[in-house]
Amino acid sequence: SDPNQKGNPTYCGDVVDQTLLLLDQDHRGIFNCVNIAENISRYDYVKEIITQFDINCEVKKAEVGVFTRFAPVSLNESALNKNLNLTGINIMGDWKGSLSKYISKLKRENLI
């Protein structure tokens, strides 16, 4: 795994809400449902998790190849909500806000 690998961190609660809205409005087809993120690396994502949990530690980038993956993956796993945007009902929010929503839920439910 590469700490510079890019993607769209996405909260599954947002995917559920978006899917229910698509079903409710009888949309059919293939839709990406990802949170909005531009050039977010795994390093950026982990660093934001540490920040939002207010944990006092330093996050360092790992060297490429430190974490072995069984399957090869692209360095860019980013996705666009193209078809979802065409429906006019894209409710997928920003990844940081969705991460905050998830962490708040964990704290409220004493799951951490």
Side-chain angles (χ1 to χ4, degrees):
S1 181
D2 185 331
N4 297 310
Q5 185 178 23
K6 307 293 184 204
N8 298 75
T10 299
Y11 175 43
C12 66
D14 290 347
V15 175
V16 169
D17 291 342
Q18 184 66 70
T19 302
L20 290 173
L21 184 59
L22 285 164
L23 291 170
D24 185 53
Q25 295 194 13
D26 203 30
H27 288 279
R28 299 171 194 273
I30 298 173
F31 299 91
N32 286 331
C33 297
V34 297
N35 285 125
I36 301 163
E38 290 187 29
N39 256 354
I40 303 304
S41 69
R42 290 180 183 265
Y43 168 78
D44 296 324
Y45 185 50
V46 170
K47 193 171 176 183
E48 184 62 27
I49 291 169
I50 296 301
T51 298
Q52 288 199 25
F53 271 113
D54 198 27
I55 298 171
N56 186 18
C57 73
E58 181 182 358
V59 178
K60 296 181 180 180
K61 282 189 179 183
E63 295 295 322
V64 175
V66 169
F67 299 103
T68 307
R69 302 217 31 186
F70 292 107
V73 294
S74 168
L75 286 179
N76 187 348
E77 295 181 326
S78 298
L80 298 173
N81 294 327
K82 181 180 176 184
N83 288 345
L84 186 57
N85 289 337
L86 292 173
T87 68
I89 58 167
N90 181 358
I91 60 170
M92 298 300 294
D94 176 75
W95 73 276
K96 279 188 183 181
S98 291
L99 177 62
S100 179
K101 186 169 38 174
Y102 176 64
I103 289 173
S104 294
K105 179 181 170 81
L106 291 176
K107 289 177 179 178
R108 261 192 331 274
E109 297 177 4
N110 293 315
L111 297 173
I112 52 167

